[in-house]
């Protein structure tokens, strides 16, 4: 017997959308704590904490004191990594409550304490620069999964021309290593409830791919690659999150739609905030590889401009927070189904 899908007939009621935060800068990724506290990536070079009562505090990244002398000597200028071009993108809680940061500006994986002290975990892989680090995810076995969108510089060239050099790396007992590659601008990733499949956003695919986790004494690997849901989503997927029913919620950046892919692989449009003419132009130019920055700038909504991520929070995990690349606040609304519980940090 197939249970009814809680999303049957559901669309987001714009009148029910509320907002949190003010003067935020590029709140691309949002973490939700069990008590309702939110942590949002901030383009000023750090994370903004929004408390349950709505008060907010920007926490800027500061170099670990162990690197102070190197910064002063300008040799191996660690300070520059955090003050020149830093751009926190994907966030995840470390086991102790610190925040793992995939830094899209400095191309490194970092960890930041809640007071801002920051150190680089990885900036190279196989002896080469790691590339455009996009998203970070921690699983129940304490492995850290990392997506790299491209090694092309500037990255906008890869986004506009559908370069297929994105890859996925994992940090486990064997260190940092590549486990899958050949993706169209790898973006967010999520594991299903049993952590059997890894779901992978290929932004310029534009589709979702999934791969099965295979465990062995040599460590985890990814196999059985397949497209999940429609081969073309009608926009560029960015952020994804599962609900408890198995629907995969997904933002389509620039065309600014929120969709869901059902367990049967069907696409549901939950919210459409895009401009039809600009979205059509964007898709057309991407298809023929003539996409320009002005085309991307023209395509944007008003609720969460350049809709980027989805986070389920609240005591019952039914409050949906939407991250964005050009927004200054965080829209949220109530969902008819709870989100899939994520791996959280263990309190000290």
């Amino acid at each position: 017997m197939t249970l009814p899908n809680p999303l049957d007939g559901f669309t987001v009621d714009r009148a029910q959308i509320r907002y949190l935060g003010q003067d935020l800068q590029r709140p691309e990724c949002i973490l939700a704590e069990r008590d309702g506290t939110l942590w949002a990536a901030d383009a000023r070079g750090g994370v903004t904490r929004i408390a349950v009562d709505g008060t907010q505090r920007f926490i800027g990244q500061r170099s670990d004191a162990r690197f102070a002398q190197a910064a002063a000597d300008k040799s191996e200028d660690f300070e520059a990594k955090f003050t020149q071009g830093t751009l926190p993108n994907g966030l995840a809680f470390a086991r102790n409550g610190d925040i793992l940061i995939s830094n899209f500006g400095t191309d490194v994986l970092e960890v930041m304490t809640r007071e801002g002290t920051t150190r680089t975990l990885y900036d190279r892989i196989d002896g080469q620069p790691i590339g455009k680090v996009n998203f970070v995810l921690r699983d129940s076995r304490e492995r850290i999964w990392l997506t790299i969108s491209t090694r092309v510089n500037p990255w906008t060239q890869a986004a506009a021309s559908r370069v297929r050099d994105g890859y996925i790396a994992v940090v486990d007992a064997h260190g940092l290593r590549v486990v899958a590659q050949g993706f169209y601008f790898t973006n967010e990733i999520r594991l299903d409830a049993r952590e059997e499949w890894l779901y992978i956003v290929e932004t310029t695919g534009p589709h979702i791919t999934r791969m099965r986790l295979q465990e062995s004494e040599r460590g985890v690997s990814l196999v059985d690659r397949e497209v999940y849901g429609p081969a073309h989503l009608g926009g560029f997927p960015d952020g994804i999150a599962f609900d408890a029913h198995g629907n995969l919620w997904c933002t389509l950046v620039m065309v600014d739609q929120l969709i869901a892919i059902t367990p049967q692989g069907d696409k549901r449009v939950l919210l459409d905030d895009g401009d039809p003419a600009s979205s059509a132009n964007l898709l057309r130019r991407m298809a023929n590889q003539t996409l320009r920055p002005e085309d991307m700038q023209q395509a944007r909504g008003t609720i969460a401009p350049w809709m980027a991520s989805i986070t389920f929070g609240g005591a019952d995990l039914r409050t949906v927070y939407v991250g964005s690349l050009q927004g200054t606040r965080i829209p949220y609304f109530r969902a008819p189904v709870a989100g899939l519980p994520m791996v959280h940090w263990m309190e000290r």
Side-chain angles (χ1 to χ4, degrees):
M1 178 180 177
T2 302
L3 296 175
N5 193 321
L7 295 186
D8 288 343
F10 171 76
T11 56
V12 179
D13 183 353
R14 291 170 179 262
Q16 298 301 313
I17 296 175
R18 300 290 183 265
Y19 295 88
L20 276 174
Q22 59 182 356
D23 300 324
L24 302 176
Q25 294 190 29
R26 196 179 180 273
E28 200 277 350
C29 187
I30 301 163
L31 298 180
E33 296 210 62
R34 294 181 178 127
D35 67 355
T37 301
L38 300 182
W39 300 79
D42 195 299
R44 289 173 290 180
V47 178
T48 294
R49 178 184 185 274
I50 304 177
V52 179
D53 62 4
T55 57
Q56 65 185 57
R57 178 169 67 98
F58 169 69
I59 303 168
Q61 295 175 282
R62 302 188 306 276
S63 295
D64 190 302
R66 290 173 294 177
F67 304 134
Q69 188 59 49
D73 295 341
K74 301 301 180 182
S75 60
E76 295 295 323
D77 192 355
F78 289 95
E79 188 67 26
K81 287 184 179 294
F82 309 120
T83 61
Q84 298 176 15
T86 183
L87 189 62
N89 202 69
L91 308 177
F93 285 122
R95 180 179 175 83
N96 67 351
D98 290 347
I99 298 176
L100 298 166
I101 299 176
S102 51
N103 198 309
F104 201 71
T106 56
D107 299 348
V108 300
L109 175 64
E110 305 164 328
V111 62
M112 186 188 85
T113 69
R114 298 189 171 208
E115 292 73 41
T117 301
T118 305
R119 61 186 175 93
T120 297
L121 295 178
Y122 296 98
D123 61 0
R124 301 180 73 83
I125 189 167
D126 296 332
Q128 300 296 318
I130 202 167
K132 192 54 62 178
V133 181
N134 190 303
F135 193 70
V136 59
L137 178 73
R138 181 173 65 92
D139 69 19
S140 64
R141 297 192 182 191
E142 295 302 316
R143 294 177 295 213
I144 298 173
W145 299 84
L146 192 64
T147 68
I148 292 79
S149 296
T150 182
R151 279 192 167 111
V152 172
N153 187 15
W155 66 267
T156 49
Q157 180 181 341
S161 58
R162 300 189 74 229
V163 172
R164 197 176 182 181
D165 70 337
Y167 67 94
I168 298 171
V170 69
V171 181
D172 60 10
H174 301 273
L176 174 67
R177 56 196 172 83
V178 176
V179 287
Q181 54 192 324
F183 298 99
Y184 290 109
F185 209 83
T186 336
N187 211 307
E188 286 201 14
I189 50 176
R190 297 289 179 187
L191 290 159
D192 63 9
R194 295 183 177 181
E195 296 192 350
E196 294 177 338
W197 291 86
L198 184 72
Y199 291 74
I200 306 153
V201 171
E202 294 192 71
T203 295
T204 57
H207 53 243
I208 309 297
T209 296
R210 72 174 185 174
M211 299 185 72
R212 188 188 302 275
L213 275 66
Q214 182 171 271
E215 309 285 351
S216 75
E217 61 182 16
R218 293 176 295 178
V220 66
S221 59
L222 295 176
V223 298
D224 300 335
R225 178 172 174 172
E226 63 184 29
V227 172
Y228 182 74
H232 194 300
L233 289 172
F236 308 110
D238 193 329
I240 53 175
F242 275 106
D243 67 28
H245 187 81
N247 298 299
L248 184 63
W249 295 48
C250 175
T251 59
L252 301 182
V253 67
M254 294 181 286
V255 303
D256 281 4
Q257 289 184 357
L258 174 61
I259 67 169
I261 301 174
T262 70
Q264 292 73 38
D266 300 320
K267 171 186 167 182
R268 305 274 183 88
V269 177
L270 307 180
L271 174 65
D272 187 350
D273 189 45
D275 174 72
S278 297
S279 295
N281 176 64
L282 191 77
L283 291 166
R284 182 174 59 254
R285 285 191 171 275
M286 175 61 82
N288 59 31
Q289 299 192 31
T290 59
L291 187 62
R292 305 165 301 179
E294 53 264 38
D295 299 315
M296 294 187 282
Q297 283 293 340
Q298 289 171 4
R300 56 183 293 177
T302 58
I303 295 173
W306 282 25
M307 198 179 292
S309 66
I310 290 293
T311 300
F312 287 91
D316 57 3
L317 292 178
R318 286 182 56 190
T319 300
V320 177
Y321 301 97
V322 184
S324 65
L325 297 178
Q326 297 196 32
T328 58
R329 54 185 183 167
I330 299 172
Y332 66 96
F333 58 88
R334 296 286 289 170
V337 60
L340 182 68
M342 300 298 294
V343 174
H344 216 267
W345 62 281
M346 304 299 292
E347 295 186 27
R348 297 179 180 87

